Amino acid sequence: MDLFNPLLLYAGCALGAVGVAVALPRRGINPQVVGGLIAAVAFGLIMLALARSLDHLPTVTFYIFGVIAVGGALRVISHPRPVYSALYFILTILASSGLYLLLSAEFMAFALVIVYAGAILITYLFVIMLATETPTADEVEALAEYDRYSREPIFATATGFVLIAVLGTALAGGRGAGSLTPATRYAAGRHLSELSVRVERSLREAKLIEPGEHIIVNDSLGRPAIDVEGGTILVGRSGAEAGQTEARIIPREQWPADVHLNNTEGVAFSLLSSHPGAIEIAGVILLMAMLGAVVLARKRVDLDEQARAEADRRQLVDPVVGGSS
Amino acid sequence: MTGFASAMSALTGAATLTLGQSDFPHPMHQVTLAHYLVLSALLFGIGLIGFITRRNLIIMFLCTELMFQAAGLALIAFSRFHLNHTGETFVIFVLTIAAAEAAMALALVVLLFRRRETLDASAWSELRG
């Protein structure tokens, strides 16, 4: 079953292409506000194309964050000043992190804000400010020529929106999201049984176990201490008193609210127990990037080849001048 | 944290509430997934348009970051749909690659700028094969 209305989607893509092409910096008149409005209508059409039935629609927050993210992205590519582009990119990042929160990926949402908005974008801003042509005295507000005019705005926009239409059809169509069945079981939850210290602490805070009682790790019957599938936690006294009291079972109905695997723990288990090799490789990549950046930045480049050839020639003609300088 | 979670739950409505209760209690419907995927396709397409049209080297790299961002959103959406954390783990690697790319690319851009005193990508058009 198709999850979208193809006619509305393609109309939205065509209108969006017009809007973006109008908003991109061009020679002559450049009505960015008009382009932005057209693009906003196109965004509405595309979202309307996905709303075939009123069931299972995402919440209002999704649409708010979506508008902010797409609008920020549009400003990134249409603003003639690079510093503003970078700042609008931060806006897109913040909206994406809001979308991550809606998808209950809290750890990645905050990591995104810290790493992207905090570190990567600051590097970009530094380089933008470092590598800007100094304007001459008579033109204080000058924009570089390559920032004022974009390259092939119409063909590029057409290409981009054809890609968006194809991707939208593929992802929301019959063989995309429509053919998938949503998972109903949270597989990573079983890792909760490896966190006995934390579970015991929250049981103690909820006053479900008395002082001196612990989660029984080695039960004589061979039952698991924390059984997430069965919904039982075994507690009892350990050591010398163990023989006197039977281990008792705390059923799932009595578990305190924080006895579940939270997002950060889930990501940690996935990262460190399922993909331990990949994190090593990521570390190596970061190390190589750091070395490469240091090597590139240390290289002294003062002159173009032409200018250097000129300097060499001068040195050859007059070795005294070349040697003393 | 509970205050924050309850504030967010008031904001997002109860139907798809997942925050603060992250063992993914509700399965995510295909329609909701399709929304997130189309949004990520839009972000990717806008990044691509920017990469083609802009002539400033730094903005071109910023547009690749935009495309990374779109890929990350799709990965997180699939991670939520399939109720496991592998997609989120992948986003950590996307962040790693983006950071490495930013460091290398910006060092290269500074080098190129010092040589030609311009950020125009077409100033280096003689490099084409």
Side-chain angles (χ1 to χ4, degrees), chain A residues 101-126:
Chain A
L101 280 181
L102 292 184
L103 291 165
S104 67
E106 295 98 355
F107 176 75
M108 283 320 298
F110 292 111
L112 190 77
V113 172
I114 292 167
V115 174
Y116 248 105
I120 297 181
L121 257 294
I122 296 303
T123 320
Y124 269 91
L125 281 175
F126 264 122

Side-chain angles (χ1 to χ4, degrees), chain A residues 56 59 116 151 180 186 270, chain B residues 12 30 32 53 65 85 89:
Chain A
H56 307 296
T59 50
Y116 248 105
R151 181 174 49 198
L180 296 171
Y186 177 49
S270 170
Chain B
T12 53
Q30 302 151 329
T32 323
T53 55
E65 303 282 341
H85 293 288
T89 314

Side-chain angles (χ1 to χ4, degrees), chain A residues 315 317-325:
Chain A
Q315 206 165 8
V317 170
D318 191 355
V320 182
V321 175
S324 66
S325 62

Side-chain angles (χ1 to χ4, degrees), chain A residues 3 9 20 24-25 43 46-47 50-51 55-59 61-63 66 69-70 73-74 76-80 82 85-86 89 92-93 96 99-108 110-112 115-116 120-121 123-124 127-128 130-133 145-147 149-153 156-157 160-161 163-164 167-168 171-172 177-188 260-263 266-267 270-271 275 278-279 282 285-286 288-289 292-293 296-297 299 301-305 308, chain B residues 1 4 8 10-122 124 126:
Chain A
L3 301 178
L9 183 76
V20 173
L24 280 174
F43 181 78
I46 291 173
M47 284 301 141
L50 287 167
D55 303 330
H56 307 296
L57 286 187
T59 50
T61 338
F62 166 82
Y63 291 105
V70 171
L74 211 59
V76 170
I77 67 166
S78 69
H79 207 290
S85 288
F89 187 69
T92 305
I93 294 294
S96 308
L99 289 171
Y100 286 13
L101 280 181
L102 292 184
L103 291 165
S104 67
E106 295 98 355
F107 176 75
M108 283 320 298
F110 292 111
L112 190 77
V115 174
Y116 248 105
I120 297 181
L121 257 294
T123 320
Y124 269 91
V127 173
I128 288 171
L130 199 69
T132 315
E133 284 164 77
E145 196 263 344
Y146 51 83
D147 279 331
Y149 312 122
S150 43
R151 181 174 49 198
E152 301 284 355
T157 324
F161 274 88
L163 179 76
I164 289 172
L167 274 181
L171 291 174
S179 66
L180 296 171
T181 42
T184 52
R185 201 175 138 272
Y186 177 49
H260 62 74
L261 202 70
N262 67 31
N263 177 257
V267 173
S270 170
L271 192 63
H275 309 280
I279 196 166
I285 288 174
L286 281 177
M288 296 315 290
L296 281 176
K299 205 170 185 176
V301 182
D302 296 326
L303 300 167
D304 202 354
E305 280 114 347
R308 197 182 299 129
Chain B
M1 192 61 209
F4 174 69
M8 283 300 290
L11 201 65
T12 53
T16 54
L17 167 69
T18 49
L19 215 108
Q21 218 184 352
S22 298
D23 45 356
F24 299 123
H26 305 288
M28 187 190 194
H29 197 264
Q30 302 151 329
V31 173
T32 323
L33 176 69
H35 277 78
Y36 283 97
L37 293 181
V38 169
L39 189 67
S40 99
L42 268 172
L43 282 178
F44 189 90
I46 291 175
L48 180 79
I49 294 168
F51 188 78
I52 300 174
T53 55
R54 294 308 295 262
R55 296 161 62 197
N56 187 326
L57 280 172
I58 296 176
I59 304 293
M60 285 168 75
F61 281 118
L62 210 56
C63 290
T64 60
E65 303 282 341
L66 207 56
M67 292 192 265
F68 275 133
Q69 203 46 56
L73 183 60
L75 282 170
I76 296 268
F78 274 122
S79 167
R80 173 71 179 80
F81 184 77
H82 291 294
L83 298 188
N84 67 44
H85 293 288
T86 312
E88 294 178 39
T89 314
F90 261 76
V91 175
I92 292 179
F93 297 117
V94 171
L95 283 190
T96 309
I97 300 299
E101 185 236 334
M104 295 292 294
L106 291 177
L108 210 59
V109 164
V110 170
L111 207 66
L112 294 175
F113 178 76
R114 279 198 273 169
R115 209 171 251 255
R116 286 276 165 95
E117 287 286 310
T118 178
L119 287 174
D120 193 353
S122 52
W124 298 92
E126 79 245 33

Side-chain angles (χ1 to χ4, degrees), chain A:
Chain A
M1 186 198 83
D2 277 0
L3 301 178
F4 66 102
N5 185 341
L7 214 64
L8 269 180
L9 183 76
Y10 300 145
C13 284
L15 203 62
V18 173
V20 173
V22 167
L24 280 174
R26 267 175 307 118
R27 247 172 260 271
I29 47 163
N30 186 12
Q32 295 208 322
V33 180
V34 178
L37 285 177
I38 298 174
V41 172
F43 181 78
L45 273 184
I46 291 173
M47 284 301 141
L48 206 63
L50 287 167
R52 280 211 121 161
S53 72
L54 291 177
D55 303 330
H56 307 296
L57 286 187
T59 50
V60 179
T61 338
F62 166 82
Y63 291 105
I64 295 171
F65 283 134
V67 166
I68 295 173
V70 171
L74 211 59
R75 264 335 245 155
V76 170
I77 67 166
S78 69
H79 207 290
R81 290 182 187 278
V83 176
Y84 283 85
S85 288
L87 292 178
Y88 276 111
F89 187 69
I90 294 181
L91 192 66
T92 305
I93 294 294
L94 293 179
S96 308
S97 109
L99 289 171
Y100 286 13
L101 280 181
L102 292 184
L103 291 165
S104 67
E106 295 98 355
F107 176 75
M108 283 320 298
F110 292 111
L112 190 77
V113 172
I114 292 167
V115 174
Y116 248 105
I120 297 181
L121 257 294
I122 296 303
T123 320
Y124 269 91
L125 281 175
F126 264 122
V127 173
I128 288 171
M129 290 170 184
L130 199 69
T132 315
E133 284 164 77
T134 41
T136 48
D138 53 320
E139 33 167 29
V140 184
E141 284 281 311
L143 278 171
E145 196 263 344
Y146 51 83
D147 279 331
R148 260 179 295 165
Y149 312 122
S150 43
R151 181 174 49 198
E152 301 284 355
I154 292 164
F155 289 111
T157 324
T159 313
F161 274 88
V162 166
L163 179 76
I164 289 172
V166 171
L167 274 181
T169 314
L171 291 174
R175 283 162 183 271
S179 66
L180 296 171
T181 42
T184 52
R185 201 175 138 272
Y186 177 49
R190 70 193 145 80
H191 286 301
L192 188 69
S193 57
E194 293 164 45
L195 296 170
S196 60
V197 175
R198 186 176 84 84
V199 171
E200 191 179 309
R201 194 169 57 230
S202 44
L203 288 180
R204 206 172 290 282
E205 277 169 10
K207 301 214 173 4
L208 282 170
I209 49 177
E210 294 154 23
E213 275 188 329
H214 296 283
I215 291 178
I216 300 283
V217 181
N218 291 316
D219 182 49
S220 53
L221 299 173
R223 289 177 292 186
I226 302 170
D227 187 0
V228 181
E229 303 277 310
T232 55
I233 300 176
L234 295 180
V235 294
R237 293 181 189 280
S238 59
E241 308 154 273
Q244 297 155 18
T245 343
E246 258 313 281
R248 70 191 166 84
I249 291 172
I250 299 180
R252 192 194 290 276
E253 297 79 52
Q254 294 178 18
W255 289 6
D258 60 338
V259 177
H260 62 74
L261 202 70
N262 67 31
N263 177 257
T264 312
E265 287 160 350
V267 173
F269 274 115
S270 170
L271 192 63
L272 296 174
S273 69
S274 308
H275 309 280
I279 196 166
E280 299 284 338
I281 295 171
V284 172
I285 288 174
L286 281 177
L287 182 70
M288 296 315 290
M290 192 176 76
L291 286 178
V294 169
V295 167
L296 281 176
R298 275 178 61 87
K299 205 170 185 176
R300 277 188 67 85
V301 182
D302 296 326
L303 300 167
D304 202 354
E305 280 114 347
Q306 215 177 349
R308 197 182 299 129
E310 187 89 344
D312 286 351
R313 197 174 49 78
R314 249 184 290 129
Q315 206 165 8
L316 221 70
V317 170
D318 191 355
V320 182
V321 175
S324 66
S325 62

